[in-house]
């Protein structure tokens, strides 16, 4: 039985220092309700955060700590585990820099270490930049790949939650052509089983899935392609035999509307943009990514480093606020109760 945690400790790696991550972090932590629901602690660089406090024009103080147990967790104070990994005089907002790519990775690795040790309940991540990571020769394209490697997790599941709609992804960072090759009945079956376990862990008791169609009108009985007939329907049938409540393929132009209105508890999107477009058109700023299958829960904003507006104090903090709140919502499903 899972015990409710009144205010979970949420670790926030501050992201690429040249992007909007530090700004949206301090902006979100300037909202009192965040502290009413959680105990946030930032893993980052204190000087960058102090600059961001000024940029965002918020009344906050920085409290440098060595570990989460030293945090004050009081509204008006940001507790920070400081990593001295930047040459501040060389930092330029809005530019790809190797030191920033390396720093962003360092913050994530430290956060994973804290989560693996049970020192924090969950992690809520801010944007990182693929070009900066490449410049630093960090061998990962994004958060999910980093987290998989750092936790020895095979193929973590990505889920979006926006309003009352949840979306899983059968494939992610592949070309559409390569993604289609991955749409096998075995993969559909495996993913539906894994998605069901993920929702169960999040506390969703009734779990009805819809699989999105690939072709127009879900193939119209083979008139517009055979992927539905040859792979998707057999995969859904196999999952049904496993006890999974799944239907489809449901035409992609309607399945997300039905899910948003409560007909389905989750949709299995077949490829990256199919689900991303649906979620972000529903509410761009409140689309939050959850990584399932890790030893701990991770939530994330689903936008980039926004180099074009970094350092200007105009970035919206809504996504970061929602990211932290969603982490707090699900924290008790994932955590050790003795923190």
């Amino acid at each position: 039985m899972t015990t409710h945690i009144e205010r979970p400790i949420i670790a926030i790696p501050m992201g690429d220092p040249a992007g909007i991550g530090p700004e949206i972090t301090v902006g979100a932590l300037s909202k009192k309700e965040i502290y009413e629901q959680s105990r946030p602690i930032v893993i980052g660089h204190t000087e960058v955060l102090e600059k961001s406090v000024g940029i965002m024009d918020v009344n906050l103080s920085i409290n440098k700590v060595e570990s989460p147990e030293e945090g004050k967790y009081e509204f008006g104070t940001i507790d920070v585990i400081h990593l001295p990994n930047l040459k501040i005089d060389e930092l330029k907002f809005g530019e790809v820099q190797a030191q920033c790519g390396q720093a962003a990775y360092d913050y994530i690795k430290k956060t994973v270490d804290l989560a693996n040790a049970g020192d924090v309940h969950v992690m809520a991540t801010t944007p990182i930049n693929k070009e900066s990571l490449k410049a630093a020769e960090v061998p990962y394209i994004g958060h999910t790949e980093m987290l998989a490697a750092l936790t020895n997790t095979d193929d973590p599941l990505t889920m979006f939650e926006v309003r009352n709609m949840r979306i899983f992804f059968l494939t992610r960072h592949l070309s559409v052509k390569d993604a289609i090759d991955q749409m096998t009945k075995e993969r559909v079956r495996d993913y539906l089983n894994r998605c069901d376990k993920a929702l169960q862990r999040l506390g969703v008791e009734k779990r009805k899935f819809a699989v999105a169609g690939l072709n127009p009108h879900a193939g119209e009985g083979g008139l517009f392609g055979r992927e539905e007939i040859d792979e998707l329907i057999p995969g859904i049938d196999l999952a049904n035999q496993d006890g999974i409540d799944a239907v489809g393929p449901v035409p992609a132009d309607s399945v997300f509307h039905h899910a948003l209105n409560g007909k389905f508890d989750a949709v299995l999107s077949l490829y990256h943009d199919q689900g991303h477009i649906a979620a972000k058109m529903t509410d761009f700023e409140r689309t939050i990514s959850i990584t399932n299958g890790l030893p701990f829960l991770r939530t994330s904003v689903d936008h980039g480093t926004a180099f074009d507006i970094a350092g200007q104090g105009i970035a919206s903090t809504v996504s970061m606020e929602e990211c932290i709140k969603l982490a707090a919502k699900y924290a008790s499903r994932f955590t050790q109760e003795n923190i």
Side-chain angles (χ1 to χ4, degrees):
M1 181 177 178
T2 303
T3 303
H4 175 67
I5 299 167
E6 192 64 34
R7 285 204 305 150
I9 298 177
I10 298 178
I12 305 169
M14 80 174 196
D16 190 305
I20 63 171
E23 293 172 59
I24 63 172
T25 297
V26 301
L29 297 184
S30 71
K31 306 298 171 65
K32 189 174 182 179
E33 61 264 29
I34 296 296
Y35 284 82
E36 292 171 347
Q37 299 175 34
S38 66
R39 289 177 284 169
I41 185 164
V42 180
I43 292 79
H45 198 285
T46 53
E47 289 183 59
V48 176
L49 291 165
E50 285 167 353
K51 282 188 177 182
S52 297
V53 167
I55 290 168
M56 296 297 286
D57 192 23
V58 291
N59 185 23
L60 298 171
S61 62
I62 303 296
N63 178 41
K64 187 188 294 188
V65 298
E66 296 293 328
S67 66
E69 65 183 12
E70 296 178 9
K72 293 181 179 179
Y73 305 113
E74 297 173 351
F75 175 61
T77 299
I78 299 180
D79 298 298
V80 181
I81 294 177
H82 172 74
L83 300 187
N85 53 6
L86 287 173
K87 296 179 180 177
I88 293 296
D89 57 342
E90 296 179 10
L91 174 63
K92 297 180 181 178
F93 288 118
E95 293 188 13
V96 172
Q97 295 153 86
Q99 70 158 347
C100 292
Q102 184 62 52
Y105 175 72
D106 292 344
Y107 305 142
I108 293 163
K109 186 178 185 305
K110 177 64 175 179
T111 305
V112 170
D113 290 343
L114 292 170
N116 282 336
D119 294 331
V120 299
H121 290 110
V122 293
M123 67 185 298
T125 59
T126 56
I128 56 179
N129 187 278
K130 292 178 175 61
E131 291 183 69
S132 296
L133 294 173
K134 185 177 180 181
E137 299 183 353
V138 174
Y140 308 108
I141 196 170
H143 278 111
T144 304
E145 292 79 9
M146 281 183 202
L147 295 171
L150 291 170
T151 61
N152 295 313
T153 300
D154 182 38
D155 195 16
L157 276 175
T158 295
M159 186 190 89
F160 279 5
E161 183 164 324
V162 54
R163 297 185 186 173
N164 64 326
M165 179 168 64
R166 303 181 186 91
I167 302 172
F168 288 94
F169 295 85
L170 186 68
T171 65
R172 293 182 63 251
H173 291 142
L174 295 172
S175 70
V176 175
K177 182 179 179 180
D178 289 343
I180 291 172
D181 291 338
Q182 295 290 318
M183 296 173 195
T184 65
K185 54 182 174 288
E186 295 83 8
R187 188 177 180 90
V188 171
R189 178 189 196 176
D190 175 56
Y191 264 68
L192 284 171
N193 272 275
R194 292 175 63 201
C195 293
D196 186 71
K197 288 183 175 66
L199 284 194
Q200 186 176 18
R201 191 175 186 189
L202 290 175
V204 181
E205 295 184 3
K206 294 182 180 180
R207 303 177 295 279
K208 183 170 185 177
F209 294 89
V211 177
L214 173 65
N215 296 298
H217 308 287
E220 198 77 80
L223 290 176
F224 308 132
R226 292 194 55 86
E227 287 84 0
E228 283 82 3
I229 293 173
D230 294 340
E231 301 294 344
L232 301 182
I233 292 173
I236 295 167
D237 288 343
L238 288 170
N240 291 156
Q241 293 172 28
D242 297 332
I244 306 300
D245 185 1
V247 299
V250 180
D253 63 358
S254 61
V255 65
F256 299 102
H257 167 79
H258 291 313
L260 189 61
N261 285 281
K263 187 173 183 179
F264 308 115
D265 297 295
V267 176
L268 180 58
S269 169
L270 299 180
Y271 58 95
H272 183 281
D273 281 10
Q274 185 182 61
H276 276 245
I277 292 169
K280 292 176 181 179
M281 283 297 294
T282 299
D283 193 329
F284 187 93
E285 291 190 322
R286 288 179 173 81
T287 294
I288 303 303
S289 176
I290 296 175
T291 305
N292 291 281
L294 301 172
F296 48 82
L297 174 67
R298 174 248 177 170
T299 63
S300 180
V301 297
D302 193 56
H303 60 70
T305 46
F307 277 176
D308 58 324
I309 61 170
Q312 299 177 38
I314 59 175
S316 172
T317 66
V318 172
S319 286
M320 194 67 221
E321 293 168 38
E322 293 297 312
C323 176
I324 297 170
K325 290 176 183 177
L326 197 62
K329 171 185 173 182
Y330 286 131
S332 61
R333 308 296 309 184
F334 283 76
T335 155
Q336 303 169 19
E337 309 301 338
N338 58 352
I339 298 179

